[in-house]
Amino acid sequence: MSDENLIFMMGEFEAEFPSDRHYCNNHMWVKSEENGEYRFGFSAYAVRLLQDVYFLDWLLDAPSTIQPTQEIGSVESKKAESSLYSPTSGSLIRFNETLMDDPSAINTDKYGSGWLFEMQLPDLDPEFLSPEDYVEMLDSVWIKTQRTIKGQL
């Protein structure tokens, strides 16, 4: 990763956020590919909270038309079992099939080979956040997140 990455401190751990992509409220990154295709994956923040993703499952097949907040799959990790929701509406065109047999790339290469899925979108969703806005959002919720992690809520 380059020097252009933003850093957010999660306690003693650094979470890096490349500035060549946007971020979603559900802690996914989105990067424009070509021909209106966008690639999605988990942000460093999500991966750090999940810790050691070891299972990934999709509830639908590609291609599929999906809506914002539609449940599209699930993930299991050392810390949590969570449903996965679409960050936007569009046409889901492919999943990263290599993750189905071995999702460890989510942990080791979250901004590269650990991508989750690709969608066809007419435009970048205006709800997506710039890297700076995403880090600002994380900063605003970090105290609550720490309490949740420690089971204090």
Side-chain angles (χ1 to χ4, degrees):
M1 288 191 241
S2 73
D3 292 336
E4 296 178 32
N5 294 336
L6 298 179
I7 303 291
F8 178 76
M9 294 304 297
M10 297 177 69
E12 62 189 61
F13 301 100
E14 285 187 358
E16 289 186 276
F17 303 100
S19 60
D20 66 347
R21 59 200 74 207
H22 284 80
Y23 296 85
C24 310
N25 287 327
N26 68 348
H27 304 296
M28 289 185 184
W29 56 262
V30 56
K31 186 175 181 191
S32 176
E33 294 297 306
E34 48 188 54
N35 302 324
E37 293 180 7
Y38 292 84
R39 185 169 278 183
F40 292 80
F42 287 129
S43 74
Y45 182 86
V47 172
R48 177 70 196 145
L49 292 180
L50 287 168
Q51 294 187 15
D52 283 335
V53 173
Y54 58 80
F55 182 76
L56 180 66
D57 189 32
W58 300 112
L59 296 177
L60 41 93
D61 295 318
S64 293
T65 300
I66 55 177
Q67 300 302 314
T69 70
Q70 178 180 341
E71 187 173 0
I72 59 173
S74 61
V75 62
E76 290 182 38
S77 71
K78 179 180 174 181
K79 289 284 188 183
E81 182 177 327
S82 301
S83 294
L84 299 176
Y85 300 93
S86 173
T88 191
S89 61
S91 179
L92 189 138
I93 53 177
R94 80 183 52 82
F95 293 107
N96 184 346
E97 292 297 328
T98 60
L99 296 180
M100 295 307 293
D101 293 327
D102 181 12
S104 64
I106 293 170
N107 307 310
T108 60
D109 191 21
K110 63 193 126 307
Y111 296 116
S113 63
W115 63 273
L116 298 172
F117 58 87
E118 291 180 339
M119 290 180 70
Q120 183 87 37
L121 305 175
D123 292 302
L124 193 64
D125 190 320
E127 296 291 316
F128 294 159
L129 304 168
S130 70
E132 296 81 8
D133 289 342
Y134 182 65
V135 168
E136 187 176 304
M137 181 197 75
L138 294 179
D139 192 48
S140 72
V141 300
W142 180 239
I143 290 174
K144 182 178 177 181
T145 300
Q146 290 179 85
R147 288 183 184 142
T148 301
I149 292 167
K150 294 175 184 174
Q152 296 175 349
L153 288 182

